[in-house]
Amino acid sequence: MLRSIIILSDSIAAVLSLMKRTDLLLDDEELLIIKGAVAILEPFEEATKDLSSQCYPSLSKVIPMVHLLLCSMKVDLSAISEDDNFYFVCLELLKNDLEENLKLRFEKVEDVPSKALTTYLDPRFKKAYFKRSGSAVENSLDRELRRVRSLRITRENLPSNVPSQISLSPASIFKNLHKETVMKTNEQRRGGENSTVNNILIIKEYNDWPLLDGVDPLQWWKNRQSDGVMLPVVQIVKRYFCIPATSVPSEFFFSKAGLIISKQRNAMKPENADMLIFLNKNA
């Protein structure tokens, strides 16, 4: 809205003059305040659009985005205006108010396990944007690794009613023996059956990798599926990276459903409504 006022300021002034409402005209100082406000609010607009997407993982961006927004509030406005005038004071008040609200609203954002864990497991961020020590998020990863391991052991101990198919061909024997060797070797690299040593090695190896820029975190973790050491972490990535940062995508579907399921279509079957919504979004 403010950007539109700046772009259309001349047209707005002409219309107000024709309507003899010059009392509503903005003076030069007020236009300067609006331009400064747009510059201050622009990072918030970019952050909102980025975190509202549904085409890529967004939850891992919440903690870095809060940090970067706070950094954008540190911009010195004195470079814009040499004098300590009304314009400068108004923009400083706006900037300080936004900064205080950011700190108040997102003070405990790192305490949310899902946000912290997805940020840490994103190879672009890891612990770079954590204000406090990263030991808490590493403990969260350790607990998740233990959960994955206990689920795997439970599945392995479940009785199977499906008879195993035994093949005595030389190729299958070699393939099975090699698969068993690979599993044992990777288990030894991860500390064998000692889950504590196993998790420490996984976390250390992940921390040793450098931060990456301009990579798709989903593709990066997909490539780690062939890595025996990082394989347990891939299961955690699948569990958490699908969580959206905002409710915008779901609200978008609700709006679409309201347009499709109308008074003229009040007898539509649920499966047909689901299919029409799916086609509307993906066709």
Side-chain angles (χ1 to χ4, degrees), residues 24-35 86-87:
L24 297 177
L25 287 173
L26 299 172
D27 57 34
D28 292 339
E29 196 168 59
E30 289 171 330
L31 282 173
L32 281 175
I33 293 174
I34 292 176
K35 289 179 181 178
F86 179 70
Y87 159 74

Side-chain angles (χ1 to χ4, degrees), residues 257 260-261 265-278:
I260 292 172
I261 306 172
R265 293 173 168 175
N266 57 8
M268 186 184 301
K269 293 181 178 179
E271 55 268 25
N272 292 337
D274 290 342
M275 185 56 67
L276 284 173
I277 295 171
F278 175 82

Side-chain angles (χ1 to χ4, degrees), residues 117 120-121 126-127 134-146 189-190 195-210 220-221 229-233 236:
L117 201 55
Y120 176 60
L121 292 178
K126 292 190 179 181
K127 295 185 288 185
S135 58
V137 70
E138 290 178 353
N139 292 335
S140 297
L141 179 58
D142 178 65
R143 288 192 295 270
E144 284 295 317
L145 288 169
R146 292 175 184 273
R189 286 187 63 196
R190 298 197 303 264
S195 61
T196 302
V197 176
N198 179 6
N199 296 350
I200 291 173
L201 289 174
I202 290 175
I203 294 171
K204 182 180 182 305
E205 180 159 345
Y206 179 65
N207 287 334
D208 288 342
W209 286 337
W220 189 84
W221 278 110
V229 177
M230 286 294 122
L231 190 57
V233 187
I236 302 171

Side-chain angles (χ1 to χ4, degrees), residues 58-283:
S58 55
L59 190 63
S60 63
K61 290 187 173 184
V62 173
I63 293 175
M65 199 67 76
V66 171
H67 177 87
L68 294 173
L69 284 175
L70 285 170
C71 289
S72 71
M73 295 294 100
K74 302 296 183 184
V75 177
D76 186 10
L77 294 176
S78 60
I80 303 175
S81 178
E82 296 179 359
D83 302 322
D84 190 17
N85 54 19
F86 179 70
Y87 159 74
F88 174 74
V89 172
C90 286
L91 292 182
E92 275 291 340
L93 288 173
L94 172 62
K95 185 167 66 69
N96 293 338
D97 186 56
L98 286 171
E99 185 176 358
E100 289 301 316
N101 276 280
L102 267 176
K103 291 179 179 179
L104 181 64
R105 179 162 184 170
F106 296 103
E107 180 184 6
K108 298 182 179 180
V109 67
E110 294 180 20
D111 297 334
V112 182
S114 57
K115 291 186 177 71
L117 201 55
T118 49
T119 302
Y120 176 60
L121 292 178
D122 194 317
R124 300 169 297 177
F125 309 131
K126 292 190 179 181
K127 295 185 288 185
Y129 292 103
F130 284 86
K131 289 184 179 179
R132 298 187 291 274
S133 172
S135 58
V137 70
E138 290 178 353
N139 292 335
S140 297
L141 179 58
D142 178 65
R143 288 192 295 270
E144 284 295 317
L145 288 169
R146 292 175 184 273
R147 182 189 63 80
V148 170
R149 183 173 179 274
S150 68
L151 288 175
R152 179 176 61 84
I153 293 174
T154 302
R155 285 196 299 267
E156 289 176 353
N157 293 335
L158 286 176
S160 176
N161 296 326
V162 181
S164 58
Q165 297 180 353
I166 301 175
S167 176
L168 299 179
S169 67
S172 63
I173 293 173
F174 174 78
K175 184 176 180 180
N176 292 335
L177 288 173
H178 178 65
K179 185 176 181 180
E180 186 177 348
T181 303
V182 169
M183 291 177 62
K184 288 181 179 179
T185 304
N186 288 334
E187 278 291 334
Q188 291 172 359
R189 286 187 63 196
R190 298 197 303 264
E193 292 301 320
N194 190 328
S195 61
T196 302
V197 176
N198 179 6
N199 296 350
I200 291 173
L201 289 174
I202 290 175
I203 294 171
K204 182 180 182 305
E205 180 159 345
Y206 179 65
N207 287 334
D208 288 342
W209 286 337
L211 287 179
L212 303 175
D213 184 29
V215 299
D216 181 353
L218 290 178
Q219 185 61 46
W220 189 84
W221 278 110
K222 183 179 180 180
N223 296 336
R224 301 281 83 74
Q225 290 187 120
S226 58
D227 188 344
V229 177
M230 286 294 122
L231 190 57
V233 187
V234 176
Q235 307 303 319
I236 302 171
V237 170
K238 291 179 180 179
R239 176 182 172 88
Y240 283 97
F241 270 51
C242 60
I243 304 174
T246 68
S247 61
V248 171
S250 60
E251 291 171 2
F252 174 80
F253 279 112
F254 276 113
S255 300
K256 287 293 183 183
L259 295 174
I260 292 172
I261 306 172
S262 60
K263 291 181 179 179
Q264 289 76 20
R265 293 173 168 175
N266 57 8
M268 186 184 301
K269 293 181 178 179
E271 55 268 25
N272 292 337
D274 290 342
M275 185 56 67
L276 284 173
I277 295 171
F278 175 82
L279 291 173
N280 182 279
K281 181 66 181 78
N282 297 283

